Coordinates of all heavy atoms in Angstrom, one line a residue:
P107 N -22.5 -2.1 20.2 CA -23.3 -2.7 19.2 C -22.6 -3.6 18.3 O -22.5 -3.4 17.1 CB -23.9 -1.5 18.5 CG -22.9 -0.4 18.6 CD -22.2 -0.6 19.9
Y108 N -22.0 -4.7 18.9 CA -21.4 -5.8 18.1 C -20.3 -5.5 17.2 O -20.0 -6.2 16.2 CB -22.5 -6.5 17.2 CG -23.8 -6.8 18.0 CD1 -24.9 -5.9 18.0 CD2 -24.0 -8.0 18.7 CE1 -26.0 -6.1 18.7 CE2 -25.1 -8.2 19.5 CZ -26.1 -7.3 19.5 OH -27.3 -7.5 20.2
N118 N -29.3 -11.4 13.3 CA -30.5 -10.7 12.9 C -31.7 -11.1 13.7 O -31.5 -11.7 14.8 CB -30.8 -10.8 11.4 CG -31.3 -9.5 10.8 OD1 -32.1 -8.9 11.3 ND2 -30.8 -9.2 9.6
R119 N -32.9 -10.7 13.3 CA -34.1 -10.8 14.1 C -35.0 -12.0 14.0 O -35.1 -12.6 12.9 CB -34.9 -9.5 13.9 CG -34.2 -8.3 14.2 CD -35.0 -7.0 13.8 NE -34.3 -5.8 14.3 CZ -33.2 -5.3 13.8 NH1 -32.6 -5.8 12.8 NH2 -32.7 -4.2 14.4
N138 N -34.9 -6.5 21.4 CA -34.9 -5.4 20.4 C -36.3 -5.2 19.9 O -36.9 -6.0 19.1 CB -34.0 -5.8 19.2 CG -33.8 -4.7 18.3 OD1 -34.5 -4.6 17.3 ND2 -32.9 -3.8 18.6
L143 N -32.9 -10.3 18.8 CA -31.8 -9.8 17.9 C -30.5 -10.4 18.3 O -30.1 -10.5 19.4 CB -31.7 -8.3 18.0 CG -30.6 -7.7 17.2 CD1 -30.9 -7.7 15.7 CD2 -30.3 -6.2 17.6
H144 N -29.8 -10.9 17.2 CA -28.3 -11.3 17.3 C -28.0 -12.3 18.4 O -27.0 -12.1 19.2 CB -27.5 -10.1 17.4 CG -27.4 -9.2 16.2 ND1 -27.7 -9.7 15.0 CD2 -27.2 -7.9 16.0 CE1 -27.6 -8.7 14.1 NE2 -27.3 -7.6 14.7
H215 N -20.0 -9.0 12.4 CA -20.6 -7.7 12.5 C -19.6 -6.5 12.5 O -19.6 -5.6 13.2 CB -21.5 -7.6 13.8 CG -22.6 -6.7 13.7 ND1 -22.5 -5.3 13.5 CD2 -24.0 -6.9 13.7 CE1 -23.7 -4.8 13.4 NE2 -24.6 -5.7 13.6
Y217 N -17.8 -3.2 11.4 CA -18.2 -1.9 10.8 C -17.0 -1.4 10.1 O -16.0 -1.1 10.7 CB -18.5 -0.9 11.9 CG -19.8 -1.2 12.8 CD1 -19.9 -2.2 13.7 CD2 -20.8 -0.3 12.7 CE1 -21.0 -2.4 14.4 CE2 -22.0 -0.4 13.5 CZ -22.1 -1.5 14.4 OH -23.2 -1.7 15.1
L246 N -38.7 -3.7 12.3 CA -37.7 -4.3 11.4 C -37.8 -5.8 11.2 O -36.8 -6.4 11.0 CB -36.3 -3.8 12.0 CG -36.0 -2.3 12.1 CD1 -34.6 -2.1 12.5 CD2 -36.3 -1.7 10.7
D286 N -30.9 -0.5 6.8 CA -30.8 -1.5 7.8 C -31.6 -2.7 7.3 O -32.6 -3.0 7.9 CB -31.2 -1.0 9.2 CG -30.8 -1.9 10.3 OD1 -30.3 -3.0 10.1 OD2 -31.1 -1.5 11.5
Q323 N -27.1 -8.3 5.1 CA -27.7 -7.2 5.8 C -26.7 -6.0 5.7 O -25.6 -6.1 6.2 CB -28.0 -7.5 7.3 CG -28.6 -6.4 8.1 CD -30.1 -6.4 8.1 OE1 -30.7 -7.3 7.5 NE2 -30.7 -5.4 8.7
Y325 N -26.1 -2.4 6.9 CA -26.5 -1.6 8.0 C -25.6 -0.3 8.0 O -24.4 -0.5 8.0 CB -26.4 -2.3 9.3 CG -26.5 -1.5 10.6 CD1 -27.7 -0.7 10.8 CD2 -25.5 -1.5 11.5 CE1 -27.7 0.1 12.0 CE2 -25.6 -0.7 12.7 CZ -26.7 0.1 12.9 OH -26.8 0.9 14.0
F329 N -27.7 3.6 14.4 CA -27.9 3.7 15.8 C -26.6 4.3 16.5 O -26.6 4.5 17.7 CB -28.2 2.4 16.4 CG -29.6 1.8 16.0 CD1 -29.7 0.7 15.2 CD2 -30.7 2.5 16.4 CE1 -30.9 0.2 14.8 CE2 -32.0 2.0 16.0 CZ -32.1 0.9 15.2
E351 N -23.2 -7.7 6.6 CA -23.4 -8.9 7.4 C -24.0 -10.0 6.5 O -25.2 -10.0 6.2 CB -24.4 -8.7 8.6 CG -24.0 -7.6 9.5 CD -25.1 -7.0 10.3 OE1 -25.9 -7.7 10.9 OE2 -25.2 -5.7 10.2
Ligands
GLA1 C1 -27.8 -5.1 13.1 C2 -29.2 -4.6 13.1 C3 -29.4 -3.2 13.4 C4 -28.7 -2.9 14.7 C5 -27.2 -3.4 14.7 C6 -26.6 -3.2 16.0 O1 -27.1 -4.9 12.0 O2 -29.8 -4.9 11.8 O3 -30.7 -2.8 13.5 O4 -29.4 -3.5 15.7 O5 -27.2 -4.7 14.3 O6 -26.8 -1.9 16.5

Side-chain angles (χ1 to χ4, degrees):
Y108 312 93
N118 219 314
R119 295 172 173 79
N138 188 265
L143 177 71
H144 293 336
H215 210 297
Y217 291 68
L246 301 184
D286 193 356
Q323 178 89 6
Y325 167 58
F329 292 112
E351 304 156 51

